[in-house]
Amino acid sequence: MKRMFLSGNEAVAYGAIDAGCRFYAGYPITPSSEIMHMMAKLLPEAGGVFIQAEDELAAINMIIGASWAGLKSMAATSGPGFSLMQEGIGYAVMTETPLVIVDVMRAGPATGQATKAAQGDLMQTRWGRHGDQYLVVLAPESPQEAYDLIIEAFNISESLRTPVVFLMDEFIGHGREVVFRKEPGEIKLVERRRSSDHEPLFGSDDPRIPPPMPRLGEGYYVLVTGSTHNEYGYRDVHSFETHYKLVRRLKEKIWGNIDKVFKYEVIGDPGRAEKAIVCFGSTCRSAKEAVMGLDNVLLIRLITLWPLNYDLLRELLSNVRLVVVPELSLGQLIYDVQQVIDSGIKVVGVNKVGGGVPIYPSEIKKALEV
Amino acid sequence: MIKHEHLSLKYMRREVLPTAFCPGCYNGIVMNALFQAFEELGIYDLRKYVFVSGIGCSSWIPSPYIKADSLHTLHGRAIPVATGVKLANPELEVIVIGGDGDLASIGGNHLLHAARRNMDLVVIMINNLVYGMTRGQAAPTTPKGMVTPTTPYGNPEEPMDVARLIANTNANYVARWCVSQYLFLKNSFKKVLGEIKRGFRFIEVYAPCTTFVIRRENKTPGQKLKELMNTCIGYEKWEKLPAEERTKHIPTGVFREEDKPGFLDNYKQLIARLKR
């Protein structure tokens, strides 16, 4: 264990290196650039490859290629670049390519406010791509958690053969705190399952178990395609059965493993609480301060934002009469809360975005007084 | 009876034949030249070769017809994916096959930057002059005045000379041949697969679309091939032609040939410096 003083962005870079990431492609963009700076420095030392891509379209596709060639790969960006990466992320979902994409959120839409924090990309991480597709979204609240959770992000991407979106915001990316960096022996690493002969590379009997993934050049004559394909990778762009079977399996691979990937933190007693706060990322820090000394408020911090365990959220919120949802956007997570509560329960959003202004604990406290 | 097999078959996935290409499609000539180059170089097994393609008819050549690892990627993104593969495992020989729309239009930026980096890739661009898979719309390579579904009154734009554009970058090898120049094409393939084994190697193949260019001219692929024998001339000869004659001919040849270090050599040097 090594004590360091790091920004969230720097913590992500160290975490990625410690998770075994050996390929990074990216394009500079505020407020994520420090991740790229760090990877440019750390990767050559670690025997990995760093390349500055000509744009985000290239970056996402380069890491797809590198992942198939056998390296754990990552790209980091912010809103505008994340929008450009969407098609590639969809391709990674379809081809079951393990990747980690970091989105350090800034105020949008469009160029918006490049240096100011926001949380407006939440729905885009889930639904930004065309077609039926599912992946995993994780969101840390501090540099320390950014370090620990990015390792988990790589582990999930490897074990489920899926892209994982790592959702931070400018406050966490640029906020600086003490981070304990682990020694190699202290970290549990997961590697993708390699191929055994005759096992199909794009299908499995149990959809919750991802098929194995060989490295290119091992003699499997791998056929990778973003078109609809059967379990051996052969394109089939006509049949209903092949397409339906494929997208159902890809969905079940994520949702069927919800117990393994769904992480959250609860402060308070769900049995006694009358009110609740549901939050993610940096806004939870204000929310945690707001509930100090209040024993009738339940705080639910979502660490995994997708797939979301709706049943669990419903159960946790079953006794409350008021839910406050603070967000650095005009309101996106609030729809998830509205989905799981009874119509009689009041849901209040505390929404602020732009100018780098945080949601203050006093504003959350005030909302709780309703 | 001696069973004689076509040389292409040992490089192809037999189970997916026949191909989906139109009768007379020039893709067959390109495949043949590539496979013959492999055979003449004594390369019979492509397990250390990775083919990367995007979207379009020519992108279907490797996926699924070539018996090797292949990545059939998004429209325009073959070069970045190939770059990722090559950098992650330099032992692999990575070959991109794509069309003019895929590589020069939607993927044009990647083509320029891979050439600038002298990235260690072989890129084969089959220029069929149109978007053949989607019914022959105009592409950046479509000649001025040509009528297509998106240029019903004639193409108002000037076409892009992709090979000569890339020849002005840092690429190690740039050539263009017509399908009618089979031996030159095959020898170019041999050159970039057997001799110049690093850096960015770009070969444009001029191969008008059988269905959406040649048939619109009321010609057969065979007639067009004969015509191309006169249309395609060496670029030294082409440069001496008067301006109005130039537009009627296609300049071909090797525009650039070097064996300087590619991106990977430079990157390895950087790592070595770091270790010192």
Side-chain angles (χ1 to χ4, degrees):
Chain A
M1 198 86 87
K2 194 175 166 194
R3 194 172 189 272
M4 299 173 96
F5 189 57
L6 300 177
S7 70
N9 283 346
E10 289 165 345
V12 162
Y14 282 115
I17 294 287
D18 292 351
C21 174
R22 289 297 175 270
F23 189 90
Y24 183 97
Y27 187 81
I29 184 167
T30 306
S32 76
S33 294
E34 294 80 10
I35 300 176
M36 191 176 180
H37 303 168
M38 291 298 292
M39 293 307 272
K41 240 165 105 174
L42 297 174
L43 267 176
E45 287 173 352
V49 183
F50 169 90
I51 183 165
Q52 178 161 340
E54 56 271 23
D55 53 33
E56 286 89 349
L57 307 173
I60 182 77
N61 286 287
M62 282 173 180
I63 66 172
I64 288 168
S67 183
W68 274 97
L71 297 186
K72 291 184 186 177
S73 309
M74 178 172 89
T77 188
S78 183
F82 191 58
S83 293
L84 290 177
M85 287 185 181
Q86 293 300 328
E87 193 191 15
I89 298 171
Y91 180 85
V93 170
M94 188 64 147
T95 54
E96 300 175 71
T97 309
L99 308 171
V100 176
I101 306 109
V102 184
D103 175 12
V104 187
M105 288 182 284
R106 68 192 221 185
T111 312
Q113 293 184 324
T115 60
K116 308 301 179 199
Q119 293 183 317
D121 299 358
L122 167 62
M123 284 300 179
Q124 195 192 10
T125 62
R126 299 171 176 177
W127 302 115
R129 303 152 291 281
H130 60 280
D132 293 288
Q133 43 73 39
Y134 298 88
L135 44 63
V136 177
V137 183
L138 303 176
E141 64 160 355
S142 66
Q144 178 68 61
E145 194 175 39
Y147 173 82
D148 294 325
L149 200 59
I150 195 85
I151 297 173
E152 191 56 30
F154 275 98
N155 285 348
I156 291 172
S157 84
E158 291 288 312
S159 68
L160 295 186
R161 237 185 101 176
T162 179
V164 173
V165 175
F166 199 73
L167 196 59
M168 306 215 295
D169 62 58
E170 192 272 339
F171 286 144
I172 303 167
H174 287 161
R176 213 165 261 282
E177 283 179 349
V178 168
V179 173
F180 290 97
R181 186 184 180 187
K182 293 190 175 105
E183 301 298 331
E186 299 172 311
I187 304 167
K188 189 181 149 268
L189 292 183
V190 179
E191 307 291 330
R192 63 192 78 164
R193 193 157 66 87
R194 295 294 174 191
S195 298
S196 57
D197 278 336
H198 309 303
E199 209 177 339
L201 307 177
F202 298 94
S204 57
D205 294 335
D206 182 347
R208 288 168 304 173
I209 299 170
M213 183 173 174
R215 293 180 192 89
L216 297 176
E218 288 181 334
Y220 283 92
Y221 302 123
V222 186
L223 272 174
V224 184
T225 177
S227 300
T228 298
H229 45 273
N230 67 16
E231 61 265 45
Y232 296 99
Y234 288 105
R235 202 161 44 234
D236 180 354
V237 293
H238 298 293
S239 108
F240 160 78
E241 287 78 13
T242 310
H243 187 80
Y244 194 62
K245 194 177 158 192
L246 175 63
V247 292
R248 286 294 302 256
R249 182 176 66 76
L250 294 179
K251 182 180 181 180
E252 187 56 22
K253 190 175 77 171
I254 302 299
W255 286 90
N257 283 301
I258 196 161
D259 291 341
K260 283 183 203 153
V261 299
F262 188 70
K263 295 171 198 305
Y264 64 103
E265 182 191 357
V266 170
I267 297 174
D269 182 355
R272 280 175 52 200
E274 295 159 12
K275 301 168 185 179
I277 298 171
V278 180
C279 59
F280 75 98
S282 67
T283 50
C284 300
R285 299 167 70 108
S286 299
K288 281 181 177 175
E289 199 176 315
V291 300
M292 272 182 193
L294 302 177
D295 58 358
N296 65 339
V297 181
L298 180 73
L299 188 147
I300 303 167
R301 179 169 75 91
L302 298 171
I303 300 169
T304 302
L305 293 167
W306 204 239
L308 189 67
N309 195 334
Y310 287 101
D311 294 337
L312 187 97
L313 199 58
R314 184 177 291 120
E315 207 185 302
L316 288 169
L317 294 174
S318 57
N319 293 324
V320 301
R321 57 176 177 81
L322 169 73
V323 187
V324 174
V325 187
E327 286 181 85
L328 287 170
S329 72
L330 300 184
Q332 298 187 10
L333 187 67
I334 196 165
Y335 296 116
D336 289 322
V337 176
Q338 282 167 342
Q339 230 180 85
V340 298
I341 51 147
D342 296 331
S343 55
I345 300 170
K346 205 167 171 187
V347 183
V348 182
V350 180
N351 305 102
K352 251 169 117 176
V353 63
V357 183
I359 294 173
Y360 297 110
S362 58
E363 291 168 317
I364 297 172
K365 251 185 171 155
K366 204 174 149 199
L368 284 167
E369 280 158 16
V370 175
Chain B
M1 204 175 80
I2 301 162
K3 202 177 159 205
H4 191 74
E5 242 184 25
H6 195 276
L7 77 93
S8 290
L9 281 172
K10 64 171 157 289
Y11 298 106
M12 295 177 79
R13 293 175 196 263
R14 289 162 197 252
E15 67 274 21
V16 288
L17 297 177
T19 69
F21 304 136
C22 303
C25 178
Y26 293 155
N27 276 354
I29 298 180
V30 183
M31 290 167 84
N32 220 46
L34 180 65
F35 296 146
Q36 199 179 344
F38 276 126
E39 189 175 60
E40 289 180 12
L41 289 168
I43 300 161
Y44 302 110
D45 181 356
L46 303 183
R47 68 176 57 207
K48 288 291 168 198
Y49 287 78
V50 176
F51 289 83
V52 187
S53 65
I55 299 297
C57 291
S58 42
S59 294
W60 278 23
I61 290 176
S63 176
Y65 301 119
I66 299 183
K67 197 174 175 198
D69 286 337
S70 72
L71 288 141
H72 179 233
T73 70
L74 294 168
H75 195 16
R77 312 298 161 222
I79 288 177
V81 172
T83 301
V85 172
K86 182 69 184 177
L87 295 183
N89 186 355
E91 312 249 292
L92 301 172
E93 199 62 70
V94 185
I95 302 172
V96 172
I97 300 182
D100 46 313
D102 193 56
L103 292 172
S105 183
I106 190 167
N109 199 28
H110 307 310
L111 178 64
L112 274 180
H113 287 279
R116 170 182 65 80
R117 293 181 182 116
N118 204 15
M119 187 54 67
D120 302 70
L121 299 173
V122 171
V123 176
I124 300 166
M125 187 186 91
I126 302 179
N127 179 2
N128 69 352
L129 304 180
V130 289
Y131 287 93
M133 186 167 265
T134 51
R135 297 198 154 222
Q137 296 89 344
T141 45
T142 301
K144 194 174 183 184
M146 190 190 267
V147 173
T148 77
T150 51
T151 54
Y153 310 113
N155 181 19
E157 299 177 21
E158 289 290 341
M160 183 175 181
D161 186 333
V162 187
R164 290 205 305 154
L165 178 72
I166 300 306
N168 282 294
T169 65
N170 195 34
N172 262 2
Y173 186 90
V174 180
R176 169 169 49 215
W177 302 109
C178 286
V179 273
S180 54
Q181 298 165 306
Y182 180 86
L183 287 178
F184 289 105
L185 179 62
K186 184 206 70 186
N187 288 336
S188 260
F189 286 149
K190 276 176 79 173
K191 178 74 108 184
V192 299
L193 293 168
E195 220 176 293
I196 302 175
K197 297 190 80 171
R198 57 182 181 174
F200 195 72
R201 291 146 286 168
F202 181 79
I203 298 172
E204 176 183 339
V205 189
Y206 186 85
C209 177
T210 315
T211 302
F212 294 113
V213 176
I214 300 174
R215 203 167 65 184
R216 278 178 191 157
E217 293 174 359
N218 285 320
K219 290 171 191 153
T220 66
Q223 285 168 338
K224 185 72 182 179
L225 206 56
K226 271 188 191 159
E227 185 191 298
L228 286 177
M229 287 176 173
N230 296 319
T231 313
C232 301
I233 56 174
Y235 68 89
E236 295 100 333
K237 208 169 151 189
W238 180 84
E239 274 166 3
K240 289 186 191 115
L241 290 176
E244 69 273 15
E245 276 295 304
R246 282 184 178 188
T247 53
K248 294 178 197 155
H249 291 89
I250 310 296
T252 59
V254 179
F255 297 99
R256 206 180 161 105
E257 188 178 335
E258 277 177 274
D259 193 11
K260 60 181 182 297
F263 179 94
L264 269 166
D265 288 325
N266 294 327
Y267 196 82
K268 275 176 203 156
Q269 231 174 44
L270 176 151
I271 301 274
R273 223 175 42 230
L274 204 66
K275 278 181 182 157
R276 236 183 279 144

